[in-house]
Amino acid sequence: MATKTLSERKLTEIEEIAAGWGKLLARESFPEGPGLDVSLPDMEDIVARATRAIVHGAVETMAADQAGRLGNQAACPGCGKMCELKRKSRPMAVRGGSADLDEPVAHCPTCRRDFFPSA
Ligand SMILES: [Zn+2]
């Protein structure tokens, strides 16, 4: 299982990959290079929007992978009965943007209660 925090080496690797994406983004935005009328704030607007998209995609993927580890059933904290886990999408503000997180939620028919399983 992956650890809670990434090593400094792995984080540096990820920064290098992201820097490469930044160069690709620049070429995709202006294949001929930006015109002289393109200001620094114009460039920042493009990058800020792309950054929010990266945050959105990365956080959603990590949260979905994590939720997948819980499986399809969870024990009711009240009676212990195994209940079917469903996913409920919830929009969340996260640092650097937003993400729609699929939260695992279960309903116990015996206790007639919803619960959110934890790891
Ligand atoms: Zn129950």
Side-chain angles (χ1 to χ4, degrees):
M1 183 180 286
T3 58
K4 184 177 175 184
T5 56
L6 300 179
S7 68
E8 191 54 40
R9 182 176 169 186
K10 186 65 180 176
L11 288 170
T12 300
E13 209 177 294
I14 289 170
E15 285 173 335
E16 287 167 4
I17 291 168
W21 292 341
K23 290 174 186 171
L24 290 174
L25 175 71
R27 298 291 176 253
E28 185 64 32
S29 301
F30 301 102
E32 313 288 319
L36 296 176
D37 60 332
V38 179
S39 68
L40 185 58
D42 293 335
M43 295 177 200
E44 287 176 326
D45 286 345
I46 295 166
V47 175
R49 191 163 167 166
T51 302
R52 286 192 296 273
I54 289 172
V55 167
H56 189 92
V59 170
E60 277 184 13
T61 301
M62 288 184 218
D65 289 350
Q66 196 174 44
R69 289 181 182 268
L70 293 171
N72 296 322
Q73 290 192 320
C76 170
C79 69
K81 176 185 169 78
M82 291 305 284
C83 303
E84 183 186 356
L85 269 182
K86 294 181 177 174
R87 305 285 188 252
K88 188 176 176 185
S89 183
R90 186 163 69 114
M92 297 245 336
V94 295
R95 211 173 348 148
S98 64
D100 296 314
L101 302 183
D102 281 337
E103 281 188 327
V105 59
H107 176 80
C108 178
T110 306
C111 301
R112 294 185 182 169
R113 65 184 269 194
D114 292 330
F115 62 93
F116 301 91
S118 56

